[in-house]
Amino acid sequence: MTWDDEDLLRKSPNLERILIPSLDIQQRVRQLANEVSRDYADTVPVLVNILKGAFVFLADLTRCLTIPHEVDFMAISSYHGGTQTTGVVKIEKDLKTNITGRDVLVVEDIVDTGLTINYLLDMLQTRAPRSLRICTLLDKPHARRKEIPLAYTGFEIPNEFVIGYGLDYDEKYRNLPFIGVMKS
Ligand code: 5GP
């Protein structure tokens, strides 16, 4: 854990603890980027970023990739404030890129129940990409309600509500450089 992480933790009274320190995240993101660069060496993939939670992950991942690639954004929501899933999945912003025949890598912040990404995969599959895979920073396997194949996973985490590194609680805490757990 870095001094900055500890300092930020002290200044955030609603945070219980740091689950993944910022240095561990940076190291793991570089490893994932190496794997992606190797696996997509013969193509130009489209990285589909799911807003808003995955924007920090994408920003770090894209700068560690050593292959040509494109980035596009989608906004899809299943949480509307608080920490409980509503089961409602809604597209708030669609892609600009035509992904037909393209190698698509969906970049997600967290796969929890899997309902959101399952819906998204079904929808993207109808557009006939050449390949469609998922890269998620965090995986909460114990919360899963839909079996989802994850090509790249940063960290498996316990079934707790986490914030930081793009993930929010009521739109706050996205800026924290680490993944932390809220006080309940
Ligand atoms: P799922 O549909 O897999 O249950 O949830 C997907 C979305 O719910 C994620 O993309 C994320 O926006 C939100 N989510 C799930 N678990 C957490 C969590 O622990 N913390 C935060 N901040 N968001 C979460």
Side-chain angles (χ1 to χ4, degrees), residues 17 43 47 50 68 110 115 120 126 130-131 141-142 149 160 166 170-171:
R17 66 183 197 281
T43 182
L47 269 54
I50 311 302
I110 185 165
L115 295 177
L120 188 73
T126 65
R130 186 163 82 145
S131 67
H142 303 296
E160 292 182 285
D170 277 348
E171 294 302 324

Side-chain angles (χ1 to χ4, degrees), residues 110-128:
I110 185 165
V111 179
D112 186 18
T113 62
L115 295 177
T116 308
I117 196 79
N118 183 62
Y119 173 88
L120 188 73
L121 287 182
D122 282 353
M123 198 265 296
L124 293 177
Q125 202 69 64
T126 65
R127 302 179 189 183

